[in-house]
Amino acid sequence: MGRRAHGDSAYSGAVTFVIPLLEQTPEQLRDWFVREGFPAYRAGQVRKWVFQKLADGFDAMTDLPVELRRTLAERFAVWTTQIVRREVAADGTEKLLLALGDGQRIECVLLRDDKDRHTACISTQVGCAMGCAFCATGLDGVVRNLSSGEILEQLLRLQRIRQEHAEGRTAVLNVVVMGMGEPLLNLDALLPALATACDRNGLGLSERRITISTVGLPDGIRRLAAERCQYHLAVSLHAPDDELRNRLVPANRKFGVAGVLAAADAYFERTGRRVTFEYVLLAGVNDQPDHARRLVGLLRGRPSLVNLILYNPVPGLPYRTPSPEQVARFVEIAEQGGLNVVIRHRKGDRINAACGQLRRGTAEG
Ligand code: SAH
Ligand code: SF4
């Protein structure tokens, strides 16, 4: 991807493309400097400005010669997205709606869990092809995969918000790949983006603090396991049997609950990392005592964590959040059955923090 440089002359016939900086591997960037006759170490300086000092643009890179900064500004773009909307909830949750270079829109969110810990939630696709019955993102299908740079850019934008408040030094950053899209259908872009996020000379995050959430595609889970990475895997289960899961998560029809669990087991064996099973509680649909009992039957004995998610209602969809009593009953049965359970409380309700909602809300705007 690339756009015409502003300075292109219609008369010269030469077309120069602006290169998205975040799409460049460290090697590619270094090669560019060498090719253009600049010292190779300049590439490292630029990356340091972008990833560690979170520079807004080349102008800010004050230890580079002015002439080089000008050349870089002509040839590269640090940012390819624009912030269309920034919303802040009373609990500190901030949500960004970003317009991509081609006008498509995606969302990313910064959750302030507490003063020592923040979580960045990022998207991997524009829309999603999986069509889960309760999810806003899946309603319109998938438009395209995000590029590696577009994924990284979300993290940089959220880091810059933390920088505004000088929070980067006091609160660690967790990353959850739980925004729009199915991450395992875009591993080619996601893995390089996360590698840069975890690189000491990149954002310097820890693999163990990154969670990849998937609808449960066995091939993708196995590929991730083969990477021998330390990412945390979260599988969106949502139902204890095929009959119900096929309805809520249509992708299940291909491989079934048994196929998902076998792949999750393989991930644990390969990485030693306990898998999380996400279960979004939908009133009257999958939140009954019998569902909890069958979930116990399915997961008991597996080194795993069950993450119960309180449904964030989506306008136009018939699903509702269960009552606190219903949730408590579900938790009680699951815990008595020996499962490790946590409840994810909703954050940022007022700003449509469920994935895909802000984008839908402004689709025409
Ligand atoms: N596609 C991946 C990651 C994005 S969705 C996946 O499905 O896991 C991240 C999580 O949010 C999933 O567990 C998903 O089921 C859940 N989710 C989707 N819509 C929701 C809503 N309206 N309220 C609460 N959780 C929702
Ligand atoms: Fe896609 Fe995840 Fe939404 Fe399902 S829940 S439609 S997999 S984004």
Side-chain angles (χ1 to χ4, degrees):
M1 63 181 276
R3 279 170 294 151
R4 248 167 197 251
H6 301 303
D8 280 355
S9 156
Y11 302 106
S12 72
V15 176
T16 325
F17 285 95
V18 175
I19 305 167
L21 188 75
L22 300 179
E23 307 289 354
Q24 298 281 295
T25 63
E27 297 72 32
Q28 285 170 327
L29 194 62
R30 209 181 40 230
D31 288 351
W32 183 90
F33 277 84
V34 172
R35 236 183 8 254
E36 298 287 324
F38 298 109
Y41 72 87
R42 295 287 187 204
Q45 280 179 300
V46 168
R47 281 174 58 82
K48 195 166 178 180
W49 274 107
V50 171
F51 293 114
Q52 280 156 37
K53 301 186 198 164
L54 304 172
D56 191 28
F58 295 104
D59 270 357
M61 303 183 184
T62 44
D63 56 1
L64 301 183
V66 176
E67 188 52 39
L68 173 57
R69 277 187 256 162
R70 197 172 304 137
T71 306
L72 288 170
E74 278 169 16
R75 306 289 289 277
F76 290 93
V78 179
W79 307 104
T80 65
T81 72
Q82 280 183 339
I83 300 177
V84 175
R85 189 181 289 189
R86 175 175 171 180
E87 298 197 356
V88 189
D91 63 11
T93 302
E94 293 204 36
K95 182 157 190 165
L96 296 180
L97 180 67
L98 300 178
L100 307 177
D102 60 1
Q104 294 294 336
R105 291 171 172 203
I106 55 159
E107 303 168 7
C108 56
V109 185
L110 178 68
L111 299 134
R112 291 184 166 91
D113 309 81
D114 54 51
K115 72 174 176 28
D116 301 321
R117 199 180 57 150
H118 295 164
T119 302
C121 177
I122 56 171
S123 298
T124 51
Q125 297 183 307
V126 179
C128 182
M130 299 294 97
C132 298
F134 50 84
C135 172
T137 304
L139 287 176
D140 301 321
V142 68
V143 178
R144 69 170 173 86
N145 279 340
L146 297 188
S147 68
S148 196
E150 287 166 338
I151 296 171
L152 255 183
E153 192 161 330
Q154 297 170 64
L155 284 175
L156 278 177
R157 293 237 180 248
L158 297 174
Q159 279 285 54
R160 281 168 59 82
I161 289 179
R162 279 156 44 88
Q163 189 187 42
E164 279 173 22
H165 302 276
E167 294 166 315
R169 263 168 280 138
T170 50
V172 297
L173 187 67
N174 292 331
V175 175
V176 293
V177 188
M178 288 187 188
M180 294 164 54
E182 171 45 46
L184 300 191
L185 290 178
N186 191 15
L187 280 174
D188 287 344
L190 178 63
L191 291 175
L194 293 184
T196 302
C198 296
D199 183 359
R200 206 165 40 87
N201 297 315
L203 284 170
L205 305 180
S206 149
E207 283 193 5
R208 301 181 70 86
R209 290 192 173 278
I210 295 181
T211 300
I212 300 177
S213 173
T214 173
V215 73
L217 306 173
D219 288 351
I221 293 176
R222 291 206 162 81
R223 180 174 162 202
L224 198 59
E227 293 283 322
R228 294 203 167 276
C229 48
Q230 279 294 299
Y231 302 125
H232 185 113
L233 180 72
V235 174
S236 296
L237 195 57
H238 308 321
D241 58 61
D242 281 331
E243 194 272 318
L244 183 56
R245 194 166 195 264
N246 286 348
R247 272 197 283 138
L248 297 176
V249 182
N252 189 65
R253 291 177 199 147
K254 261 201 193 143
F255 36 77
V257 169
V260 178
L261 293 184
D265 290 347
Y267 191 83
F268 174 72
E269 274 157 33
R270 193 83 187 246
T271 62
R273 296 224 61 190
R274 186 171 75 157
V275 173
T276 293
F277 292 99
E278 295 165 280
Y279 195 105
V280 58
L281 287 167
L282 307 166
V285 176
N286 66 353
D287 66 336
Q288 300 299 301
D290 189 46
H291 295 121
R293 279 189 284 272
R294 278 187 287 144
L295 190 65
V296 168
L298 208 57
L299 298 182
R300 191 172 20 211
R302 284 193 157 82
S304 61
L305 180 74
V306 174
N307 189 349
L308 295 177
I309 306 171
L310 298 182
Y311 184 58
N312 214 339
V314 175
L317 294 183
Y319 301 99
R320 299 286 164 259
T321 318
S323 66
E325 295 73 35
Q326 199 63 43
V327 174
R329 183 90 184 96
F330 197 98
V331 171
E332 193 188 336
I333 296 171
E335 286 185 336
Q336 277 174 359
L339 303 187
N340 302 306
V341 181
V342 293
I343 303 180
R344 190 193 304 157
H345 290 281
R346 293 186 294 179
K347 280 188 163 276
D349 275 14
R350 307 284 287 282
I351 55 169
N352 294 319
C355 70
Q357 290 196 18
L358 189 57
R359 168 175 172 259
R360 276 188 76 74
T362 63
E364 278 85 45

Short mmCIF file of all heavy atoms in Angstrom, two decimals, residues 231-287:
data_model
loop_
_atom_site.label_atom_id
_atom_site.label_comp_id
_atom_site.label_asym_id
_atom_site.label_seq_id
_atom_site.Cartn_x
_atom_site.Cartn_y
_atom_site.Cartn_z
N TYR A 231 2.47 -16.23 23.81
CA TYR A 231 1.22 -15.48 23.89
C TYR A 231 0.18 -16.29 24.63
O TYR A 231 0.15 -17.52 24.55
CB TYR A 231 0.70 -15.12 22.49
CG TYR A 231 1.67 -14.32 21.69
CD1 TYR A 231 2.08 -14.74 20.43
CD2 TYR A 231 2.20 -13.13 22.19
CE1 TYR A 231 2.99 -14.01 19.68
CE2 TYR A 231 3.11 -12.40 21.46
CZ TYR A 231 3.51 -12.84 20.21
OH TYR A 231 4.43 -12.12 19.50
N HIS A 232 -0.68 -15.59 25.31
CA HIS A 232 -1.77 -16.23 26.03
C HIS A 232 -2.90 -16.44 25.02
O HIS A 232 -3.23 -15.54 24.26
CB HIS A 232 -2.18 -15.27 27.15
CG HIS A 232 -3.21 -15.81 28.04
ND1 HIS A 232 -2.98 -16.11 29.35
CD2 HIS A 232 -4.50 -16.10 27.83
CE1 HIS A 232 -4.08 -16.57 29.90
NE2 HIS A 232 -5.02 -16.58 28.99
N LEU A 233 -3.50 -17.63 25.04
CA LEU A 233 -4.58 -17.93 24.10
C LEU A 233 -5.93 -17.91 24.83
O LEU A 233 -6.07 -18.52 25.89
CB LEU A 233 -4.36 -19.31 23.48
CG LEU A 233 -5.43 -19.77 22.48
CD1 LEU A 233 -5.33 -18.98 21.18
CD2 LEU A 233 -5.30 -21.27 22.20
N ALA A 234 -6.88 -17.19 24.26
CA ALA A 234 -8.25 -17.20 24.80
C ALA A 234 -9.17 -17.72 23.70
O ALA A 234 -9.13 -17.24 22.57
CB ALA A 234 -8.67 -15.80 25.23
N VAL A 235 -9.96 -18.72 24.05
CA VAL A 235 -10.87 -19.33 23.07
C VAL A 235 -12.30 -18.96 23.44
O VAL A 235 -12.74 -19.19 24.57
CB VAL A 235 -10.70 -20.86 23.06
CG1 VAL A 235 -11.74 -21.51 22.16
CG2 VAL A 235 -9.29 -21.23 22.60
N SER A 236 -13.01 -18.39 22.50
CA SER A 236 -14.40 -17.95 22.74
C SER A 236 -15.33 -19.14 22.59
O SER A 236 -15.74 -19.48 21.48
CB SER A 236 -14.77 -16.86 21.74
OG SER A 236 -13.96 -15.73 21.95
N LEU A 237 -15.66 -19.78 23.70
CA LEU A 237 -16.44 -21.02 23.65
C LEU A 237 -17.94 -20.74 23.61
O LEU A 237 -18.65 -21.19 22.72
CB LEU A 237 -16.07 -21.88 24.87
CG LEU A 237 -16.46 -23.34 24.83
CD1 LEU A 237 -15.87 -24.05 23.62
CD2 LEU A 237 -16.01 -24.05 26.11
N HIS A 238 -18.44 -20.06 24.61
CA HIS A 238 -19.83 -19.56 24.66
C HIS A 238 -20.94 -20.60 24.76
O HIS A 238 -22.11 -20.23 24.90
CB HIS A 238 -20.16 -18.65 23.47
CG HIS A 238 -19.19 -17.54 23.26
ND1 HIS A 238 -18.62 -16.83 24.29
CD2 HIS A 238 -18.68 -17.00 22.11
CE1 HIS A 238 -17.81 -15.91 23.78
NE2 HIS A 238 -17.83 -15.98 22.48
N ALA A 239 -20.61 -21.87 24.62
CA ALA A 239 -21.66 -22.90 24.71
C ALA A 239 -21.00 -24.22 25.05
O ALA A 239 -19.87 -24.47 24.63
CB ALA A 239 -22.41 -23.01 23.39
N PRO A 240 -21.72 -25.08 25.80
CA PRO A 240 -21.10 -26.35 26.21
C PRO A 240 -21.35 -27.51 25.24
O PRO A 240 -20.92 -28.62 25.50
CB PRO A 240 -21.76 -26.63 27.57
CG PRO A 240 -23.11 -25.99 27.47
CD PRO A 240 -23.00 -24.85 26.49
N ASP A 241 -22.08 -27.28 24.18
CA ASP A 241 -22.34 -28.39 23.25
C ASP A 241 -22.47 -27.86 21.82
O ASP A 241 -22.65 -26.66 21.59
CB ASP A 241 -23.61 -29.15 23.64
CG ASP A 241 -24.81 -28.23 23.67
OD1 ASP A 241 -25.15 -27.65 22.62
OD2 ASP A 241 -25.41 -28.06 24.76
N ASP A 242 -22.40 -28.77 20.87
CA ASP A 242 -22.40 -28.36 19.46
C ASP A 242 -23.74 -27.76 19.04
O ASP A 242 -23.78 -26.83 18.24
CB ASP A 242 -22.07 -29.56 18.56
CG ASP A 242 -20.57 -29.81 18.53
OD1 ASP A 242 -19.80 -28.84 18.70
OD2 ASP A 242 -20.16 -30.97 18.38
N GLU A 243 -24.82 -28.29 19.60
CA GLU A 243 -26.13 -27.82 19.15
C GLU A 243 -26.25 -26.31 19.39
O GLU A 243 -26.59 -25.53 18.49
CB GLU A 243 -27.21 -28.61 19.91
CG GLU A 243 -28.62 -28.49 19.33
CD GLU A 243 -29.37 -27.30 19.90
OE1 GLU A 243 -29.28 -27.07 21.13
OE2 GLU A 243 -30.02 -26.60 19.10
N LEU A 244 -25.92 -25.88 20.61
CA LEU A 244 -26.02 -24.46 20.95
C LEU A 244 -24.89 -23.65 20.31
O LEU A 244 -25.10 -22.55 19.79
CB LEU A 244 -26.01 -24.29 22.48
CG LEU A 244 -26.18 -22.87 23.01
CD1 LEU A 244 -27.46 -22.22 22.48
CD2 LEU A 244 -26.18 -22.86 24.54
N ARG A 245 -23.69 -24.22 20.32
CA ARG A 245 -22.56 -23.46 19.77
C ARG A 245 -22.71 -23.24 18.26
O ARG A 245 -22.36 -22.19 17.74
CB ARG A 245 -21.21 -24.14 20.09
CG ARG A 245 -20.02 -23.21 19.85
CD ARG A 245 -18.71 -23.70 20.46
NE ARG A 245 -17.73 -22.62 20.49
CZ ARG A 245 -16.79 -22.43 19.57
NH1 ARG A 245 -16.67 -23.27 18.56
NH2 ARG A 245 -15.95 -21.40 19.66
N ASN A 246 -23.27 -24.22 17.57
CA ASN A 246 -23.50 -24.03 16.13
C ASN A 246 -24.39 -22.83 15.87
O ASN A 246 -24.23 -22.13 14.88
CB ASN A 246 -24.15 -25.27 15.52
CG ASN A 246 -23.17 -26.43 15.39
OD1 ASN A 246 -21.97 -26.24 15.56
ND2 ASN A 246 -23.69 -27.62 15.11
N ARG A 247 -25.35 -22.62 16.79
CA ARG A 247 -26.28 -21.50 16.60
C ARG A 247 -25.61 -20.15 16.91
O ARG A 247 -25.76 -19.18 16.19
CB ARG A 247 -27.48 -21.65 17.53
CG ARG A 247 -28.60 -22.48 16.89
CD ARG A 247 -29.90 -22.27 17.63
NE ARG A 247 -29.94 -23.00 18.89
CZ ARG A 247 -30.42 -22.52 20.03
NH1 ARG A 247 -30.89 -21.29 20.08
NH2 ARG A 247 -30.44 -23.25 21.12
N LEU A 248 -24.84 -20.13 18.02
CA LEU A 248 -24.25 -18.86 18.44
C LEU A 248 -22.98 -18.52 17.67
O LEU A 248 -22.68 -17.36 17.40
CB LEU A 248 -23.91 -18.91 19.94
CG LEU A 248 -25.10 -19.08 20.89
CD1 LEU A 248 -24.61 -19.21 22.34
CD2 LEU A 248 -26.07 -17.90 20.76
N VAL A 249 -22.24 -19.55 17.34
CA VAL A 249 -20.94 -19.38 16.67
C VAL A 249 -20.94 -20.26 15.42
O VAL A 249 -20.48 -21.40 15.45
CB VAL A 249 -19.78 -19.80 17.62
CG1 VAL A 249 -18.43 -19.58 16.99
CG2 VAL A 249 -19.88 -19.07 18.95
N PRO A 250 -21.47 -19.77 14.31
CA PRO A 250 -21.66 -20.62 13.13
C PRO A 250 -20.38 -21.31 12.65
O PRO A 250 -20.45 -22.41 12.09
CB PRO A 250 -22.16 -19.64 12.06
CG PRO A 250 -22.68 -18.46 12.80
CD PRO A 250 -21.96 -18.40 14.11
N ALA A 251 -19.22 -20.69 12.92
CA ALA A 251 -17.95 -21.30 12.49
C ALA A 251 -17.76 -22.67 13.13
O ALA A 251 -17.01 -23.51 12.61
CB ALA A 251 -16.79 -20.38 12.87
N ASN A 252 -18.47 -22.91 14.23
CA ASN A 252 -18.33 -24.18 14.95
C ASN A 252 -18.76 -25.38 14.10
O ASN A 252 -18.31 -26.50 14.33
CB ASN A 252 -19.15 -24.13 16.24
CG ASN A 252 -18.90 -25.31 17.15
OD1 ASN A 252 -17.79 -25.47 17.65
ND2 ASN A 252 -19.90 -26.17 17.33
N ARG A 253 -19.64 -25.13 13.14
CA ARG A 253 -20.18 -26.25 12.35
C ARG A 253 -19.07 -27.01 11.63
O ARG A 253 -19.21 -28.19 11.36
CB ARG A 253 -21.19 -25.72 11.32
CG ARG A 253 -22.45 -25.22 12.00
CD ARG A 253 -23.44 -24.62 11.04
NE ARG A 253 -24.38 -23.78 11.78
CZ ARG A 253 -24.94 -22.68 11.32
NH1 ARG A 253 -24.68 -22.26 10.09
NH2 ARG A 253 -25.77 -21.99 12.07
N LYS A 254 -18.00 -26.34 11.35
CA LYS A 254 -16.89 -26.98 10.61
C LYS A 254 -16.10 -27.96 11.45
O LYS A 254 -15.69 -29.00 10.99
CB LYS A 254 -15.93 -25.91 10.09
CG LYS A 254 -16.14 -25.53 8.65
CD LYS A 254 -14.87 -24.89 8.12
CE LYS A 254 -15.16 -24.23 6.79
NZ LYS A 254 -14.43 -22.99 6.64
N PHE A 255 -15.82 -27.59 12.72
CA PHE A 255 -14.89 -28.41 13.49
C PHE A 255 -15.43 -28.87 14.84
O PHE A 255 -14.84 -29.73 15.47
CB PHE A 255 -13.56 -27.67 13.69
CG PHE A 255 -13.74 -26.18 13.86
CD1 PHE A 255 -14.16 -25.66 15.07
CD2 PHE A 255 -13.51 -25.32 12.80
CE1 PHE A 255 -14.35 -24.31 15.23
CE2 PHE A 255 -13.70 -23.95 12.95
CZ PHE A 255 -14.12 -23.44 14.16
N GLY A 256 -16.56 -28.32 15.28
CA GLY A 256 -17.18 -28.80 16.52
C GLY A 256 -16.40 -28.44 17.78
O GLY A 256 -15.22 -28.10 17.72
N VAL A 257 -17.10 -28.52 18.91
CA VAL A 257 -16.48 -28.20 20.20
C VAL A 257 -15.28 -29.12 20.44
O VAL A 257 -14.22 -28.67 20.92
CB VAL A 257 -17.53 -28.35 21.34
CG1 VAL A 257 -16.86 -28.29 22.71
CG2 VAL A 257 -18.60 -27.27 21.22
N ALA A 258 -15.40 -30.39 20.06
CA ALA A 258 -14.30 -31.34 20.30
C ALA A 258 -13.04 -30.90 19.54
O ALA A 258 -11.92 -31.00 20.06
CB ALA A 258 -14.72 -32.74 19.88
N GLY A 259 -13.22 -30.42 18.32
CA GLY A 259 -12.08 -29.96 17.52
C GLY A 259 -11.41 -28.74 18.15
O GLY A 259 -10.17 -28.63 18.15
N VAL A 260 -12.22 -27.85 18.70
CA VAL A 260 -11.68 -26.64 19.35
C VAL A 260 -10.87 -27.04 20.59
O VAL A 260 -9.75 -26.58 20.80
CB VAL A 260 -12.83 -25.70 19.79
CG1 VAL A 260 -12.28 -24.47 20.50
CG2 VAL A 260 -13.67 -25.28 18.59
N LEU A 261 -11.47 -27.94 21.40
CA LEU A 261 -10.79 -28.32 22.65
C LEU A 261 -9.50 -29.08 22.38
O LEU A 261 -8.50 -28.89 23.08
CB LEU A 261 -11.74 -29.16 23.52
CG LEU A 261 -12.96 -28.42 24.07
CD1 LEU A 261 -13.76 -29.32 25.00
CD2 LEU A 261 -12.55 -27.14 24.81
N ALA A 262 -9.51 -29.92 21.35
CA ALA A 262 -8.28 -30.66 21.03
C ALA A 262 -7.16 -29.69 20.66
O ALA A 262 -6.01 -29.86 21.08
CB ALA A 262 -8.56 -31.64 19.88
N ALA A 263 -7.50 -28.67 19.88
CA ALA A 263 -6.47 -27.69 19.50
C ALA A 263 -6.01 -26.89 20.71
O ALA A 263 -4.81 -26.59 20.85
CB ALA A 263 -7.03 -26.75 18.42
N ALA A 264 -6.96 -26.54 21.60
CA ALA A 264 -6.58 -25.80 22.81
C ALA A 264 -5.65 -26.65 23.68
O ALA A 264 -4.67 -26.15 24.24
CB ALA A 264 -7.84 -25.40 23.59
N ASP A 265 -5.95 -27.94 23.78
CA ASP A 265 -5.08 -28.84 24.55
C ASP A 265 -3.67 -28.86 23.95
O ASP A 265 -2.66 -28.84 24.66
CB ASP A 265 -5.65 -30.27 24.55
CG ASP A 265 -6.92 -30.37 25.39
OD1 ASP A 265 -7.20 -29.42 26.16
OD2 ASP A 265 -7.63 -31.39 25.27
N ALA A 266 -3.63 -28.92 22.62
CA ALA A 266 -2.33 -28.96 21.94
C ALA A 266 -1.56 -27.67 22.22
O ALA A 266 -0.33 -27.69 22.40
CB ALA A 266 -2.52 -29.14 20.43
N TYR A 267 -2.28 -26.54 22.29
CA TYR A 267 -1.61 -25.26 22.57
C TYR A 267 -0.99 -25.31 23.96
O TYR A 267 0.15 -24.88 24.17
CB TYR A 267 -2.60 -24.09 22.48
CG TYR A 267 -1.91 -22.75 22.50
CD1 TYR A 267 -1.38 -22.21 21.33
CD2 TYR A 267 -1.76 -22.03 23.68
CE1 TYR A 267 -0.72 -20.99 21.34
CE2 TYR A 267 -1.11 -20.81 23.70
CZ TYR A 267 -0.60 -20.29 22.53
OH TYR A 267 0.06 -19.09 22.54
N PHE A 268 -1.73 -25.83 24.92
CA PHE A 268 -1.21 -25.92 26.28
C PHE A 268 0.01 -26.83 26.32
O PHE A 268 1.03 -26.51 26.94
CB PHE A 268 -2.29 -26.44 27.24
CG PHE A 268 -1.76 -26.68 28.62
CD1 PHE A 268 -1.43 -25.62 29.45
CD2 PHE A 268 -1.54 -27.98 29.08
CE1 PHE A 268 -0.91 -25.83 30.72
CE2 PHE A 268 -1.03 -28.20 30.35
CZ PHE A 268 -0.71 -27.13 31.17
N GLU A 269 -0.09 -27.97 25.64
CA GLU A 269 1.04 -28.91 25.67
C GLU A 269 2.29 -28.29 25.09
O GLU A 269 3.40 -28.47 25.59
CB GLU A 269 0.68 -30.18 24.90
CG GLU A 269 -0.05 -31.19 25.76
CD GLU A 269 -0.87 -32.15 24.94
OE1 GLU A 269 -0.45 -32.49 23.81
OE2 GLU A 269 -1.95 -32.57 25.41
N ARG A 270 2.11 -27.54 24.02
CA ARG A 270 3.26 -26.97 23.33
C ARG A 270 3.87 -25.78 24.06
O ARG A 270 5.08 -25.61 24.09
CB ARG A 270 2.81 -26.55 21.92
CG ARG A 270 3.92 -26.22 20.95
CD ARG A 270 4.47 -27.49 20.33
NE ARG A 270 5.64 -27.21 19.52
CZ ARG A 270 5.68 -27.37 18.21
NH1 ARG A 270 4.63 -27.79 17.56
NH2 ARG A 270 6.79 -27.12 17.54
N THR A 271 3.01 -24.96 24.66
CA THR A 271 3.51 -23.70 25.24
C THR A 271 3.57 -23.73 26.77
O THR A 271 4.23 -22.89 27.37
CB THR A 271 2.58 -22.52 24.86
OG1 THR A 271 1.29 -22.78 25.43
CG2 THR A 271 2.46 -22.34 23.37
N GLY A 272 2.85 -24.67 27.36
CA GLY A 272 2.78 -24.69 28.83
C GLY A 272 1.92 -23.57 29.39
O GLY A 272 1.88 -23.35 30.59
N ARG A 273 1.23 -22.86 28.52
CA ARG A 273 0.40 -21.75 28.99
C ARG A 273 -1.05 -22.17 29.09
O ARG A 273 -1.64 -22.69 28.13
CB ARG A 273 0.54 -20.56 28.03
CG ARG A 273 1.96 -20.00 28.00
CD ARG A 273 1.98 -18.50 28.03
NE ARG A 273 1.37 -17.96 29.22
CZ ARG A 273 1.10 -16.67 29.39
NH1 ARG A 273 1.37 -15.82 28.44
NH2 ARG A 273 0.55 -16.23 30.50
N ARG A 274 -1.61 -21.95 30.23
CA ARG A 274 -3.01 -22.29 30.48
C ARG A 274 -3.92 -21.51 29.54
O ARG A 274 -3.75 -20.30 29.36
CB ARG A 274 -3.30 -21.93 31.94
CG ARG A 274 -4.63 -22.32 32.45
CD ARG A 274 -4.67 -22.09 33.94
NE ARG A 274 -4.77 -20.68 34.31
CZ ARG A 274 -5.24 -20.23 35.47
NH1 ARG A 274 -5.62 -21.10 36.39
NH2 ARG A 274 -5.30 -18.95 35.74
N VAL A 275 -4.88 -22.19 28.94
CA VAL A 275 -5.77 -21.53 27.99
C VAL A 275 -6.98 -20.95 28.74
O VAL A 275 -7.47 -21.54 29.70
CB VAL A 275 -6.25 -22.54 26.91
CG1 VAL A 275 -7.31 -21.93 26.01
CG2 VAL A 275 -5.05 -23.03 26.09
N THR A 276 -7.43 -19.78 28.30
CA THR A 276 -8.66 -19.19 28.85
C THR A 276 -9.81 -19.53 27.93
O THR A 276 -9.67 -19.48 26.70
CB THR A 276 -8.52 -17.66 28.94
OG1 THR A 276 -7.52 -17.36 29.93
CG2 THR A 276 -9.83 -17.00 29.36
N PHE A 277 -10.95 -19.91 28.50
CA PHE A 277 -12.16 -20.10 27.70
C PHE A 277 -13.11 -18.95 28.02
O PHE A 277 -13.50 -18.77 29.18
CB PHE A 277 -12.81 -21.45 27.98
CG PHE A 277 -11.97 -22.59 27.47
CD1 PHE A 277 -11.13 -23.30 28.32
CD2 PHE A 277 -11.99 -22.93 26.12
CE1 PHE A 277 -10.32 -24.33 27.84
CE2 PHE A 277 -11.19 -23.96 25.63
CZ PHE A 277 -10.35 -24.66 26.49
N GLU A 278 -13.44 -18.19 26.99
CA GLU A 278 -14.37 -17.08 27.19
C GLU A 278 -15.79 -17.59 26.99
O GLU A 278 -16.06 -18.46 26.14
CB GLU A 278 -14.08 -15.96 26.19
CG GLU A 278 -12.73 -15.32 26.41
CD GLU A 278 -12.31 -14.48 25.23
OE1 GLU A 278 -11.82 -15.07 24.24
OE2 GLU A 278 -12.50 -13.25 25.28
N TYR A 279 -16.69 -17.03 27.80
CA TYR A 279 -18.08 -17.49 27.75
C TYR A 279 -18.94 -16.26 27.99
O TYR A 279 -19.03 -15.75 29.11
CB TYR A 279 -18.29 -18.55 28.82
CG TYR A 279 -19.54 -19.37 28.70
CD1 TYR A 279 -19.48 -20.69 28.26
CD2 TYR A 279 -20.80 -18.85 29.05
CE1 TYR A 279 -20.65 -21.47 28.16
CE2 TYR A 279 -21.95 -19.62 28.96
CZ TYR A 279 -21.86 -20.92 28.51
OH TYR A 279 -23.01 -21.69 28.42
N VAL A 280 -19.52 -15.73 26.92
CA VAL A 280 -20.34 -14.53 27.07
C VAL A 280 -21.74 -14.98 27.50
O VAL A 280 -22.37 -15.82 26.84
CB VAL A 280 -20.36 -13.68 25.77
CG1 VAL A 280 -20.85 -14.42 24.57
CG2 VAL A 280 -21.16 -12.40 25.97
N LEU A 281 -22.18 -14.48 28.66
CA LEU A 281 -23.46 -14.94 29.21
C LEU A 281 -24.62 -14.19 28.56
O LEU A 281 -24.69 -12.96 28.62
CB LEU A 281 -23.47 -14.73 30.72
CG LEU A 281 -22.59 -15.70 31.51
CD1 LEU A 281 -22.40 -15.22 32.94
CD2 LEU A 281 -23.16 -17.12 31.49
N LEU A 282 -25.51 -14.95 27.92
CA LEU A 282 -26.67 -14.39 27.23
C LEU A 282 -27.92 -14.88 27.97
O LEU A 282 -28.13 -16.09 28.08
CB LEU A 282 -26.70 -14.86 25.77
CG LEU A 282 -25.41 -14.63 24.97
CD1 LEU A 282 -25.42 -15.44 23.66
CD2 LEU A 282 -25.23 -13.14 24.67
N ALA A 283 -28.72 -13.93 28.47
CA ALA A 283 -29.86 -14.29 29.32
C ALA A 283 -30.79 -15.28 28.63
O ALA A 283 -31.25 -15.05 27.50
CB ALA A 283 -30.63 -13.03 29.72
N GLY A 284 -31.05 -16.40 29.33
CA GLY A 284 -32.00 -17.39 28.84
C GLY A 284 -31.49 -18.24 27.68
O GLY A 284 -32.17 -19.15 27.22
N VAL A 285 -30.27 -17.96 27.21
CA VAL A 285 -29.76 -18.68 26.03
C VAL A 285 -28.70 -19.71 26.43
O VAL A 285 -28.79 -20.89 26.07
CB VAL A 285 -29.17 -17.68 25.00
CG1 VAL A 285 -28.55 -18.42 23.81
CG2 VAL A 285 -30.25 -16.71 24.52
N ASN A 286 -27.67 -19.25 27.18
CA ASN A 286 -26.58 -20.16 27.55
C ASN A 286 -26.18 -20.00 29.02
O ASN A 286 -25.07 -20.37 29.40
CB ASN A 286 -25.36 -19.91 26.65
CG ASN A 286 -24.75 -18.53 26.87
OD1 ASN A 286 -25.31 -17.70 27.60
ND2 ASN A 286 -23.62 -18.29 26.24
N ASP A 287 -27.09 -19.40 29.82
CA ASP A 287 -26.72 -19.04 31.20
C ASP A 287 -27.47 -19.87 32.24
O ASP A 287 -27.48 -19.53 33.41
CB ASP A 287 -27.02 -17.55 31.44
CG ASP A 287 -28.52 -17.25 31.38
OD1 ASP A 287 -29.25 -18.03 30.74
OD2 ASP A 287 -28.94 -16.24 31.98
#
